[in-house]
Amino acid sequence: MRMPFEFERERAYHRLVDLIFGQALEAGTPLSERKLAEQLGMGRMPVREALHQLEQEGVVEVKPARGTFVRRISPGDLAEIYRVREALECLAAELAATQGPTEALAACGARMRTMAKDPSAFTAVEIDDSGTEFHELLMLATGNAALMETVRLLRLRFRLAFHLPRYFSHENLYSTLADHIDILGAIEQRAPRAAGKLMRAHLRRGLDMRLALEAAAADRPSTQKNDAAKGITRGLESTK
């Protein structure tokens, strides 16, 4: 079936996301509108608009008189953001547990439990995406509009900190899946204190994992990074 039409700006945005989050464009990499437009096979205007959107999301940064770069997120940045996440998402877990799971959250939980029975039957991306969905549906389950909007803006502004690199180990992936299922269990049991406690432990493990992944990525040989860039670029070219 033919893929639905995407506006050029949206196409540019999604392709740049693939390059940046796929590690083809490393932190600190200068971004040239002209070169990116040539590589992606489109005009400079949609690339410029996509870069502006990514700047708003904290993924790229504009340095006066120097240019646009992939933003470099430091361990200190991660620690600060996760501290805020802990305050907000522990509250969310407690509120959701007070009311019980929504139908959508319960359905997400059923999918996660299916994955947990045979993780090898699912890709790493599918399992990671289920975790993202869990956190989003958990927020909706709170019924608290102010909290939902606060977390939405936090995710939008610091997207790099919420994104889990795709080179994580399956062992880490499975432990994260187990955490989500445990938190959901506390919500189903309507145990606010337990849900908040489990969420806190989950986020602290997540921060430790993320810091370790960032350190490992910095130590990866440049040949591996170049291979990743070539692979993603070939994938982008095949979608033109």
Side-chain angles (χ1 to χ4, degrees):
M1 184 177 67
R2 187 176 180 180
M3 293 295 289
F5 173 79
E6 287 185 295
F7 291 105
E8 288 289 277
R9 182 190 63 78
E10 294 172 337
R11 291 176 57 221
Y13 172 82
H14 290 299
R15 289 180 177 183
L16 287 173
V17 165
D18 285 340
L19 285 169
I20 295 170
F21 289 112
Q23 308 303 307
L25 293 174
E26 295 289 315
T29 300
L31 301 172
S32 163
E33 285 181 13
R34 180 181 59 80
K35 291 181 180 179
L36 286 172
E38 291 175 355
Q39 182 178 356
L40 301 178
M42 59 181 63
R44 294 179 63 173
M45 184 57 71
V47 171
R48 181 179 305 158
E49 293 176 351
L51 287 173
H52 178 65
Q53 182 175 347
L54 288 168
E55 181 189 6
Q56 292 179 319
E57 296 176 1
V59 177
V60 305
E61 59 182 338
V62 177
K63 298 181 179 180
R66 292 185 59 190
T68 302
F69 300 81
V70 177
R71 185 181 176 195
R72 188 182 303 279
I73 188 165
S74 70
D77 292 333
L78 284 170
E80 289 182 358
I81 295 165
Y82 266 77
R83 186 172 184 180
V84 176
R85 283 193 67 181
E86 186 176 314
L88 296 174
E89 295 191 43
C90 287
L91 173 60
E94 292 173 1
L95 291 175
T98 300
Q99 302 184 63
T102 60
E103 184 177 340
L105 184 58
C108 176
R111 289 192 292 274
M112 292 193 300
R113 285 170 174 141
T114 297
M115 290 178 172
K117 289 178 182 178
D118 184 13
S120 63
F122 301 88
T123 67
V125 172
E126 287 174 329
I127 296 176
D128 183 41
D129 287 346
S130 74
T132 299
E133 181 185 25
F134 170 74
H135 280 273
E136 291 173 350
L137 292 175
L138 175 63
M139 284 297 152
L140 290 173
T142 67
N144 187 309
L147 178 59
M148 285 187 277
E149 179 64 7
T150 301
V151 172
R152 186 189 71 81
L153 292 174
L154 181 69
R155 281 183 173 273
L156 181 64
R157 183 64 185 87
F158 298 104
R159 182 171 177 179
L160 276 175
F162 282 84
H163 171 80
L164 186 61
R166 295 303 194 190
Y167 48 81
F168 48 74
S169 72
H170 277 67
E171 181 181 350
N172 288 337
L173 191 67
Y174 299 155
S175 67
T176 299
L177 176 62
D179 281 356
H180 292 154
I181 292 172
D182 288 343
I183 295 167
L184 177 62
I187 293 172
E188 292 171 334
Q189 295 169 15
R190 306 223 176 186
R193 291 184 62 184
K197 183 177 179 180
L198 288 167
M199 179 63 80
R200 180 172 293 104
H202 166 62
L203 291 174
R204 290 183 179 181
R205 280 192 293 270
L207 174 59
D208 290 342
M209 183 192 308
R210 180 64 189 272
L211 291 173
L213 287 170
E214 294 294 335
D219 292 336
R220 283 189 302 161
S222 58
T223 53
Q224 290 184 18
K225 296 175 183 178
N226 291 336
D227 288 343
K230 291 176 181 176
I232 292 177
T233 301
R234 284 195 296 270
L236 291 176
E237 291 174 345
S238 68
T239 63
K240 290 181 184 178

